[in-house]
Amino acid sequence: MTTTEPPLVEQRSADALEDAIRAAQRGAARNGAARGDDAPRPSLSAPSPSSVSYASTGASLPPSRRRAKGRCPAPQHAVERAVAAAFAWIGRLVGRHPVSVFVGSLLIALALSAGLVKVSFEARSHKLYIPQKDFMARDARELESYFGTTPEPGILILERKDGEPLDDKASVLAMLDLHQEVVGMRVPFGDRLIAYDDICYRRFVGMLDDYECIVSSPLELWWYQRAQVQGDEDVSGTIREAIDDNRADFGTEAGEVKAMQIKYFFHPRSDEAEDERYDMFQAWEEALRDLLFVKVGSGSSADEPLKVTYWSTNFNELEAQSFVRDDSYLMGLSLAFITIYVCITLGGATADCRQTRMFLGSTCAVCTALSMSSGFGIASLLGIPLQPISPIVCFTLLGVAVDDMIIIVMAFEATPRDDPIDERLSDALSRAGSTITVTSVTSAVAFLTGYFVDFPALAYFCVPASLCIVMVYFLQMTFFASCLVLDSKRATARRLDCCPCFELTDDQVYRVPRMLGLDRQTSSAKKGERVRPLQVLVNKHWAKFLMRNPVRFLVVAGFLSLVLASGLTMRHITVGLPPKLSLPDGSPILGFLDGLDDYWAGAQMQEVQLILRDVDMGDPATVRAVDRTVARLEALPHVLHFAPRWDKAFVAWRNCTWAEVMQSADTEPITMAAFLEDDETHKCGARAAASTPGCEDDDEAFKKLSGGHECAVAASHCAKPAVGWKIVQRHCPATCGVCAERASGWHSAAWHRRHGGRQLQVASVDKAVPTHLGPTMGGKQFENDVSPGPDQVAVESRMIFYVHMSNSNAQAWREYEALAAEVAKEPSLGGSVYHFKYEFAYCDLLMPLFGLKNLLMAAGTIFVVVSLFLPVSIALLSTFTVVCIDVILLGLITAVGMSLNTITLVTLLLALALAIDYSCHIGHAYVVAPGRTREEKVREAIGTIGFSIINAAGSTLLGTLFLAASQSPVFRIFFLLIWSTIFLGLVSGMAFVPVVLSLIGPLDHTLEPDHLALDGAGPEIFKSSWQRRAKQLTVEVGESEGDDVSLRPSVPPSDTVDSELSGEGEDEEDDGNDMVDCFFTPRGQGHGATGQQRMV
């Protein structure tokens, strides 16, 4: 039936019509070239009103709707057009030079992967899980710059195997024997033997007059001497007295002493020969672990009474690395299963080599692997280390990366097969590029925001993740696209997938591989072949069910109620990273942590540092300020006592040295530097003047230095290498029989160097000099605690004091605040207090702020990026949805008893990056979908993209499935949370967002299909207009030269549509009022007699 031209054609602008004619010319030329015929090109001219005809296939379009819906609107966003143009150019380049692009992209990826040679691994807690730019980190850096690297402790927890108390003599002797075996252990290293003395942390001990390895344990009560223990008639009483005086820290249970700690301090990293020293430390500690776990560990004999567990920073780091190594096979399994999944998705579940796509599916896996290696290679070149949670990036990327590749293949298959391959790829990438770009950019930018939060573990995770996503984006457009071209050429050449060298003959049937549904170009295919029930359910029934009013109410009310309930629950969330989470199952360190929990559950005795800055000890006001600060701290209930103070030692030394100088002609100035260099013991004041050069023991001085012991009990310590032999010989010459060597005028070699070899005898003391009774020692033992300045100034100094520190970070922070408040009362000292546990407590305090800051930054950047491609209203809805998903996850974390820490914070950030894809896909499909009402557009969007969303979720779930079998609790927690994220993302993308769009979605942002991404819809985007039986505008180009262009509505024949898949003929609503799409078809090249219809 021929009618006059409707107002629709009159509304078309001249520019739009000329664009349509040019597109039809290009299409006709390509089709002619594909046929290889010499038919002349048809001439195209603008149609006159009399040449336009309409053939109705349904109710006529109301005139009131023709003006608004009867034309193809231009793209709404310049970014969309730019992306489409860029991807079209890339598609033509790759399509024309696939081998060159393949080799070039592969070489680039391999070159960037070479950065892995610089890879490092960081597992130290204080370098990962605490901020590095706050005031506490500043204090830690100051301490390290002035006093060197902090010694690394190796801690033993000893307890009896039978569970009996540990305060008897036999147990103490067994612990002492173990200690002697440890410090006496010799380990082969190269061509020599190394011992504890070679790798220990040393300090000058004035009492011993030498540098000694530092060991801290209750065995100090008996001088680490077996004879002292055997001579102690009341070992239990000695232990109880030490506990009451806070001189030793024992683990107790029900009032009984059940455990003891021995702390060995190592110095594996030093300025001199750092690499060799660290290797020595590694070798010695490995031997130590073997000794402990074979001799007194789980494999020890029944004769050994002790049970020993061990922890050190190095051991903890090795254990944290071990599960990354031991779980590497899970990554291989995930990669293999993803490869199989992609192969089935692309070619179907068949072993027929005429139809499989194993080559193309394998390139998906190779592309993903190259993206990981190159992304981490770039991160390594930037100095970003690996950490225990880094493999999470790999598992997530396995599932996410293949989605975009599948979308590219779908878009490629949607193009006409008779077009040149470079044009097909150009069209496919121009359509798929928008969706791939928006999802890739949002994910990459969301991860990159983690770099700007002062939290190293988060930054070390987010930067490689962002780089890996960027590399996936690059390799998809180059490496994978070139493989797609090569695979298409293989199929065109009728070569088998499993054996490309074998080419089928003309009489052999070759099955063109298809992804979804029927082959559109094959009419001989059986109806319903390769139809997936889930796809039928989603495309045919889900949207109809979802658009029912009761269902819409339940979806919105249920989702928002879940968000509200989660918001109320998350108020009770706890913070902190339990140490056990970073260790694999079965780690020996778990036993050590259990021992801490069992015997030191409330609090432990810890050493805290009081840091003072620019202290002038020549100023009496400063001296009094220091005394007042110390007195205030000691008055706090959790402070036990101070260790020997350098300021008191300096005052005593200054007075004593002043007396010596006044009795001699020496006018050497008294400075802080001289104090720290002095390693001798002085006798000055009245006591020194009255002393005689006779050979007698100085019991009073020896008691003060040795903690109450007399010379009579020190006879066993007179000879080297007994502990304190030098100081014993000096103060107990009669007992040791060295009177001739220890005349009263004897001084150390250091004293002689300072005084030019002169021995000064103090005969009397001036009345102006304060008298000092007893021995006074030089400040050599404080050289690691004071950085000297001019005169009597200490530029940076620290004092050690002991506290009962709570194991709860929250309580420990309150204790810190009390300490800091007392120190702040003397601002002239510039004081502060430091302990690494306070850093972790501060981190826990800031963790909610860290999380909120990072998530807000990520959500804001996601909104900005999405709004570049989609209407602002849809971008706002998508961002709101993913924020709600994070709120629900926080509620879930609280409900199951987990805490807010690095792992959960990474998962929340990952949830934003993953869940936004589902909302963006459905929002983009809504914008593309034609329809005069919101419900129609939602139905079309779900029918177009719904199954692709489910497909994407399935690949992500499969990629992270094997995390459930990991040895690490971190990975298992991540598995739980990421699967919850995918489920919530599906619920939001397939239910909440469509329902909201059906209620308040925009109607004025329908974009031109010619420039839109396919969103993974595959052939469905072509079938949508046919299923609606809408009016379609067709440009018919005559086959012969000189034919005019005529416009008429047409509908493709029904035999080209998979009716079972689309639901045609079953409750299909058809009001004929849908939007008129623009299709341009050369006459004679359509379906059957009318030629094949194609979208430009």
Side-chain angles (χ1 to χ4, degrees):
M1 179 177 65
T2 303
T3 63
T4 60
E5 183 179 1
L8 172 64
V9 176
E10 296 175 357
Q11 299 293 332
R12 293 180 57 88
S13 65
D15 292 340
L17 185 57
E18 289 178 4
D19 291 342
I21 293 173
R22 284 195 294 270
Q25 286 176 326
R26 291 195 300 270
R30 287 198 299 268
N31 289 338
R35 292 192 309 269
D37 55 25
D38 298 326
R41 294 185 178 181
S43 62
L44 298 176
S45 59
S48 62
S50 60
S51 64
V52 180
S53 63
Y54 287 84
S56 178
T57 58
S60 61
L61 190 66
S64 61
R65 302 294 297 172
R66 289 173 184 165
R67 184 177 182 88
K69 299 290 185 177
R71 55 182 174 174
C72 294
Q76 299 295 322
H77 302 283
V79 174
E80 188 98 29
R81 294 195 299 269
V83 170
F87 276 85
W89 180 83
I90 293 173
R92 283 190 293 271
L93 176 66
V94 176
R96 293 169 185 172
H97 310 285
V99 177
S100 299
V101 173
F102 175 85
V103 174
S105 59
L106 180 61
L107 291 177
I108 292 175
L110 292 177
L112 294 176
S113 300
L116 290 174
V117 298
K118 294 184 174 294
V119 70
S120 60
F121 193 92
E122 182 62 78
R124 290 174 292 178
S125 299
H126 66 282
K127 294 293 185 180
L128 288 177
Y129 306 122
I130 56 178
Q132 301 295 306
K133 299 178 183 179
D134 61 5
F135 66 96
M136 282 199 170
R138 180 205 63 195
D139 288 347
R141 287 191 295 270
E142 277 189 10
L143 290 172
E144 185 170 343
S145 64
Y146 281 106
F147 309 122
T149 56
T150 302
E152 299 182 9
I155 306 175
L156 300 180
I157 292 182
L158 301 94
E159 55 185 304
R160 290 184 61 95
K161 287 182 178 179
D162 55 12
E164 293 298 320
L166 202 64
D167 56 355
D168 61 288
K169 185 177 295 187
S171 299
V172 174
L173 288 174
M175 292 185 291
L176 185 59
D177 291 340
L178 176 62
H179 165 72
Q180 296 294 348
E181 187 170 2
V182 168
V183 297
M185 186 173 59
R186 298 292 187 269
V187 178
F189 182 78
D191 57 352
R192 59 194 174 106
L193 295 176
I194 58 175
Y196 175 64
D197 290 349
D198 297 314
I199 45 93
C200 69
Y201 173 72
R202 295 176 177 270
R203 284 181 64 105
F204 184 85
V205 180
M207 178 180 171
L208 305 179
D209 195 27
D210 201 356
Y211 286 92
E212 295 291 336
C213 294
I214 301 302
V215 179
S216 175
S217 79
L219 295 176
E220 295 173 358
L221 298 174
W222 300 276
W223 285 33
Y224 295 97
Q225 298 297 313
R226 187 177 185 86
Q228 295 288 338
V229 178
Q230 291 175 336
D232 190 346
E233 299 298 334
D234 188 9
V235 171
S236 178
T238 303
I239 292 176
R240 294 291 176 182
E241 182 181 354
I243 294 176
D244 295 339
D245 294 341
N246 293 315
R247 291 187 290 118
D249 188 20
F250 287 87
T252 59
E253 185 180 57
E256 296 182 331
V257 176
K258 289 297 187 71
M260 184 190 77
Q261 294 184 25
I262 302 180
K263 297 180 181 179
Y264 301 93
F265 292 91
F266 304 106
H267 201 197
R269 297 174 175 89
S270 62
D271 296 335
E272 299 179 359
E274 178 174 345
D275 293 339
E276 181 183 10
R277 188 177 180 88
Y278 187 74
D279 292 339
M280 292 168 55
F281 167 66
Q282 292 274 22
W284 189 89
E285 193 191 44
E286 183 178 0
L288 172 63
R289 296 196 301 267
D290 293 340
L291 169 68
L292 296 177
F293 300 137
V294 171
K295 183 177 178 60
V296 291
S298 58
S300 63
S301 65
D303 297 335
E304 295 291 345
L306 298 178
K307 174 185 175 183
V308 181
T309 54
Y310 177 72
W311 177 92
S312 73
T313 303
N314 179 66
F315 189 26
N316 193 91
E317 185 174 349
L318 293 176
E319 288 295 295
Q321 295 179 28
S322 66
F323 72 81
V324 177
R325 179 184 63 251
D326 297 339
D327 285 346
S328 59
Y329 77 98
L330 297 177
M331 194 179 304
L333 288 176
S334 296
L335 187 62
F337 271 72
I338 285 292
T339 303
I340 296 172
Y341 172 82
V342 174
C343 291
I344 293 175
T345 301
L346 297 181
T350 176
D352 190 347
C353 288
R354 296 173 297 176
Q355 194 169 343
T356 59
R357 275 181 166 173
M358 291 185 293
F359 167 76
L360 191 60
S362 299
T363 57
C364 288
V366 173
C367 183
T368 304
L370 287 174
S371 303
M372 295 178 193
S373 61
S374 55
F376 279 104
I378 299 173
S380 299
L381 292 175
L382 296 176
I384 305 296
L386 295 179
Q387 58 168 325
I389 62 175
S390 293
I392 292 177
V393 177
C394 303
F395 284 100
T396 305
L397 205 64
L398 284 174
V400 174
V402 300
D403 297 342
D404 292 340
M405 302 182 204
I406 293 176
I407 289 175
I408 293 174
V409 177
M410 287 179 170
F412 184 79
E413 288 193 352
T415 59
R417 287 183 173 274
D418 54 356
D419 279 0
I421 197 166
D422 60 327
E423 292 297 331
R424 292 183 62 192
L425 187 61
S426 177
D427 290 347
L429 292 186
S430 66
R431 298 171 193 227
S434 179
T435 291
I436 295 175
T437 299
V438 69
T439 55
S440 299
V441 172
T442 52
S443 298
V445 172
F447 280 124
L448 194 59
T449 58
Y451 176 77
F452 300 99
V453 177
D454 184 17
F455 201 59
L458 186 62
Y460 295 162
F461 175 87
C462 290
V463 172
S466 181
L467 292 173
C468 287
I469 291 174
V470 171
M471 289 307 302
V472 166
Y473 183 71
F474 166 73
L475 292 176
Q476 285 169 346
M477 301 301 118
T478 54
F479 180 83
F480 179 75
S482 61
C483 292
L484 178 60
V485 172
L486 296 175
D487 183 72
S488 179
K489 289 184 175 181
R490 173 199 61 79
T492 303
R494 298 169 58 83
R495 296 182 182 273
L496 296 181
D497 177 64
C498 54
C499 185
C501 298
F502 183 77
E503 183 177 353
L504 295 178
T505 60
D506 294 340
D507 57 344
Q508 292 177 309
V509 178
Y510 180 78
R511 299 180 179 177
V512 178
R514 306 299 301 177
M515 289 183 59
L516 300 172
L518 293 172
D519 186 344
R520 299 190 309 274
Q521 299 178 351
T522 304
S523 59
S524 60
K526 295 181 180 179
K527 188 174 183 179
E529 183 180 358
R530 296 176 61 197
V531 173
R532 302 176 181 182
L534 181 59
Q535 186 180 0
V536 175
L537 175 64
V538 173
N539 291 352
K540 180 178 178 181
H541 301 294
W542 177 249
K544 295 180 181 179
F545 170 77
L546 197 62
M547 290 301 101
R548 296 175 181 175
N549 288 333
V551 175
R552 289 195 287 187
F553 172 78
L554 290 176
V555 167
V556 174
F559 187 81
L560 295 181
S561 298
L562 183 60
V563 172
L564 179 61
S566 300
L568 296 175
T569 303
M570 62 181 279
R571 296 182 304 169
H572 306 289
I573 194 171
T574 58
V575 295
L577 180 65
K580 294 181 180 180
L581 282 183
S582 62
L583 299 170
D585 296 339
S587 172
I589 296 181
L590 295 177
F592 175 88
L593 298 177
D594 289 338
L596 288 180
D597 293 338
D598 292 340
Y599 304 119
W600 287 273
Q604 294 186 69
M605 183 186 295
Q606 298 284 2
E607 296 179 354
V608 178
Q609 301 180 56
L610 171 61
I611 305 171
L612 303 176
R613 299 173 178 87
D614 295 323
V615 176
D616 185 1
M617 294 302 295
D619 181 7
T622 301
V623 175
R624 290 192 295 271
V626 174
D627 289 337
R628 287 194 299 269
T629 299
V630 172
R632 291 189 184 105
L633 294 178
E634 288 181 328
L636 295 176
H638 63 284
V639 175
L640 303 177
H641 58 84
F642 269 72
R645 293 165 50 185
W646 68 265
D647 62 318
K648 290 297 184 182
F650 175 81
V651 171
W653 173 88
R654 179 183 61 189
N655 294 338
C656 183
T657 304
W658 189 8
E660 289 185 345
V661 170
M662 292 183 65
Q663 298 301 321
S664 68
D666 195 339
T667 59
E668 181 179 346
I670 299 175
T671 64
M672 186 67 66
F675 167 69
L676 297 175
E677 292 176 359
D678 191 355
D679 59 356
E680 70 176 76
T681 303
H682 302 269
K683 290 183 180 181
C684 39
R687 179 76 179 182
S691 63
T692 63
C695 182
E696 60 182 19
D697 294 335
D698 189 349
D699 279 323
E700 183 177 350
F702 187 69
K703 284 182 179 180
K704 185 172 183 179
L705 293 174
S706 63
H709 297 280
E710 297 181 351
C711 287
V713 300
S716 59
H717 296 265
C718 290
K720 186 178 181 178
V723 176
W725 66 276
K726 289 184 179 181
I727 203 70
V728 173
Q729 285 187 4
R730 180 177 303 173
H731 293 278
C732 305
T735 301
C736 295
V738 291
C739 294
E741 302 176 12
R742 295 295 180 260
S744 59
W746 180 87
H747 291 277
S748 68
W751 190 95
H752 284 284
R753 286 194 300 271
R754 286 198 306 276
H755 294 279
R758 292 177 289 107
Q759 297 189 16
L760 299 180
Q761 299 294 327
V762 182
S764 64
V765 179
D766 189 89
K767 294 181 179 180
V769 180
T771 59
H772 177 75
L773 300 178
T776 297
M777 302 183 67
K780 186 73 172 178
Q781 59 184 328
F782 298 107
E783 64 181 355
N784 292 331
D785 298 324
V786 182
S787 177
D791 297 329
Q792 301 181 36
V793 175
V795 177
E796 186 92 3
S797 62
R798 60 183 176 183
M799 298 180 185
I800 306 300
F801 63 98
Y802 296 87
V803 301
H804 268 309
M805 186 178 295
S806 173
N807 291 334
S808 167
N809 282 351
Q811 179 61 31
W813 179 252
R814 288 190 286 270
E815 295 170 358
Y816 165 81
E817 289 181 319
L819 295 173
E822 297 300 332
V823 173
K825 293 179 180 179
E826 299 291 344
S828 62
L829 301 178
S832 61
V833 292
Y834 175 80
H835 188 276
F836 71 89
K837 188 175 179 64
Y838 294 148
E839 286 196 89
F840 286 96
Y842 183 61
C843 180
D844 287 352
L845 180 70
L846 295 182
M847 183 64 69
L849 181 62
F850 283 153
L852 180 62
K853 177 181 177 181
N854 184 230
L855 295 179
L856 288 178
M857 289 175 58
T861 54
I862 285 174
F863 170 75
V864 172
V865 172
V866 175
S867 62
L868 295 176
F869 295 85
L870 296 176
V872 174
S873 57
I874 294 182
L876 187 61
L877 173 62
S878 301
T879 307
F880 169 76
T881 302
V882 296
V883 171
C884 288
I885 290 176
D886 269 0
V887 172
I888 296 174
L889 287 176
L890 284 170
L892 174 64
I893 290 170
T894 307
V896 300
M898 291 188 289
S899 59
L900 183 63
N901 50 54
T902 308
I903 309 306
T904 51
L905 188 58
V906 165
T907 305
L908 294 174
L909 183 60
L910 191 60
L912 287 176
L914 292 180
I916 191 63
D917 290 356
Y918 307 124
S919 300
C920 283
H921 281 319
I922 201 69
H924 194 277
Y926 174 86
V927 173
V928 175
R932 66 182 179 86
T933 65
R934 295 183 178 91
E935 292 187 16
E936 291 173 358
K937 290 173 70 68
V938 168
R939 290 185 182 185
E940 179 63 25
I942 293 177
T944 299
I945 196 61
F947 185 71
S948 296
I949 291 177
I950 295 177
N951 186 65
S955 64
T956 306
L957 292 176
L958 186 61
T960 56
L961 174 63
F962 291 95
L963 287 174
S966 173
Q967 299 182 34
S968 169
V970 170
F971 285 4
R972 293 196 295 271
I973 290 175
F974 177 79
F975 166 78
L976 172 64
L977 295 180
I978 202 64
W979 274 54
S980 300
T981 298
I982 301 303
F983 172 75
L984 293 172
L986 279 177
V987 170
S988 62
M990 294 297 293
F992 178 72
V993 173
V995 167
V996 175
L997 289 175
S998 71
L999 298 173
I1000 58 174
L1003 284 173
D1004 55 345
H1005 285 86
T1006 302
L1007 302 183
E1008 184 177 354
D1010 211 30
H1011 299 276
L1012 295 178
L1014 191 59
D1015 276 335
E1020 287 91 330
I1021 196 169
F1022 288 88
K1023 296 185 292 188
S1024 60
S1025 57
W1026 308 339
Q1027 297 165 2
R1028 295 190 310 272
R1029 300 179 181 276
K1031 308 285 191 299
Q1032 296 183 353
L1033 187 63
T1034 307
V1035 178
E1036 293 191 349
V1037 183
E1039 292 184 354
S1040 60
E1041 185 175 359
D1043 287 346
D1044 292 334
V1045 175
S1046 63
L1047 300 176
R1048 68 172 181 82
S1050 64
V1051 176
S1054 59
D1055 59 352
T1056 64
V1057 185
D1058 183 358
S1059 60
E1060 181 174 345
L1061 181 61
S1062 63
E1064 182 180 344
E1066 297 183 17
D1067 301 328
E1068 184 72 23
E1069 296 184 7
D1070 184 10
D1071 55 8
N1073 294 333
D1074 291 349
M1075 175 183 176
V1076 177
D1077 293 333
C1078 292
F1079 293 81
F1080 306 100
T1081 307
R1083 180 184 299 148
Q1085 303 300 324
H1087 298 275
T1090 61
Q1092 178 184 349
Q1093 188 176 43
R1094 66 182 296 272
M1095 177 184 292
V1096 180

